[in-house]
Amino acid sequence: MPDVIGTDGTSLRRCVLAVSVIDDIDLTPGDDGVFVPDADGVLITWSMIRQVIGGQAPEGATARHRVATLLQLHRVAVDLGADAPATFRDALRLIALPPGHVDHLGPDWAVQTLPGGALELGYGVYGLLDEPDRCVPLAPSLAEQVGVTGLQTWASLREYTERMGALAAARLSRDGRQGVIRPVGGCDVLALLTSRTLRRHLAEGDGVGMRAVASPTRRRAWYDLRHMDPGFVQAAWHLTDEPDRGLEIPLLVTADEVAVPKQHRRGRHASR
């Protein structure tokens, strides 16, 4: 059965046409979806596009960003041909994001919620687009198409992230740098916080079982006192490009949880 564009067709067409102009992606909207000619005529259906847009306004910047990522990854998959499953599997990484983040693709994308409720976890891929050091979200429809879903795949991804978190903790202990967490193995700092080993290292480091961690960007997190100032965290968050943003308030990290302080839970947001 064709994937009819439906009552929101005008807004969806405007969204993909904006992506075509802004991101220089050659595409042709049709009744069933979007054709990408330079990807051997691959069709991305309107339901796939709606899925990544989620509850966002189709004509907004967040929707355009998500659709651009979806189209670019589809083009990569088609260009790879029979090598796509292996390449995507090698590039697979866990992404941890607060709800509302520009890269968070909604409830269909989120596989788990980290205890504490601050971060939701889903599939991403590292190094497949033009920015080789960025991890971008992998839409559920494309993940299924290239065969990288399933309980065993997710368990392996969690295990890999745990190992990277353990490596990050070892580096913090070894190299003498105080208060700075950096990406490891294609896992950004929010993903690393899903590692119990790293959380335990942070939480038990000063003997109280809890640590405040500021991560206004996915590329750096701080836990020294001088970076806990709300003004610093908010300024760093605002100055960071939306896809690279973390949270504009410090997180509370224990061995078991990553949480937002109670006074900030109501009305918290990750991107504007």
Side-chain angles (χ1 to χ4, degrees):
M1 178 180 292
D3 182 20
V4 180
I5 193 169
T7 57
D8 58 347
T10 300
S11 295
L12 289 178
R13 285 178 182 271
R14 286 176 178 168
C15 176
V16 298
L17 290 173
V19 168
S20 177
V21 172
I22 295 172
D23 294 275
D24 193 25
I25 300 175
D26 188 15
L27 54 83
T28 304
D31 290 340
D32 296 334
V34 176
F35 293 91
V36 184
D38 57 349
D40 198 26
V42 64
L43 173 69
I44 298 95
T45 66
W46 292 116
S47 62
M48 294 176 181
I49 293 171
R50 289 190 189 94
Q51 185 183 55
V52 299
I53 290 176
Q56 299 294 320
E59 296 176 358
T62 295
R64 291 196 301 270
H65 170 78
R66 294 177 181 178
V67 171
T69 301
L70 174 70
L71 296 177
Q72 289 164 352
L73 287 177
H74 267 279
R75 184 167 57 189
V76 169
V78 171
D79 289 345
L80 288 168
D83 293 330
T87 301
F88 271 74
R89 190 172 296 277
D90 288 343
L92 205 62
R93 296 292 187 275
L94 181 148
I95 294 184
L97 296 171
H101 191 280
V102 67
D103 270 349
H104 190 300
L105 302 185
D108 290 339
W109 171 82
V111 179
Q112 286 182 306
T113 298
L114 193 67
L119 299 171
E120 294 184 340
L121 320 182
Y123 289 104
V125 286
Y126 178 74
L128 292 187
L129 299 185
D130 292 338
E131 297 179 75
D133 62 342
R134 282 205 68 236
C135 191
V136 298
L138 183 61
S141 59
L142 183 53
E144 183 175 356
Q145 180 177 313
V146 296
V148 295
T149 58
L151 293 177
Q152 184 174 354
T153 299
W154 183 249
S156 297
L157 195 56
R158 290 301 308 267
E159 181 183 356
Y160 174 82
T161 311
E162 181 65 36
R163 294 202 311 270
M164 295 304 102
L167 181 57
R171 288 180 176 177
L172 290 174
S173 298
R174 183 184 67 245
D175 64 15
R177 289 190 184 126
Q178 294 298 313
V180 185
I181 307 169
R182 293 172 171 81
V184 179
C187 297
D188 64 38
V189 296
L190 294 184
L192 292 175
L193 289 176
T194 69
S195 164
R196 180 174 174 82
T197 303
L198 178 59
R199 293 198 308 270
R200 186 170 61 245
H201 174 85
L202 294 170
E204 298 176 357
D206 58 1
V208 299
M210 179 180 293
R211 176 89 71 168
V213 176
S215 183
T217 166
R218 293 165 64 186
R219 297 176 186 266
R220 292 289 185 275
W222 294 269
Y223 54 91
D224 61 307
L225 291 178
R226 61 198 177 96
H227 288 100
M228 290 299 110
D229 178 74
F232 165 80
V233 179
Q234 291 180 6
W237 184 86
H238 280 286
L239 291 171
T240 301
D241 291 339
E242 281 196 86
D244 287 329
R245 284 179 178 173
L247 291 94
E248 65 172 324
I249 55 174
L251 296 164
L252 294 180
V253 176
T254 70
D256 299 316
E257 297 185 345
V258 176
V260 173
K262 289 182 179 180
Q263 63 268 32
H264 295 287
R265 288 180 185 172
R266 183 174 298 176
R268 66 190 174 100
H269 55 282
S271 61
R272 291 175 178 167

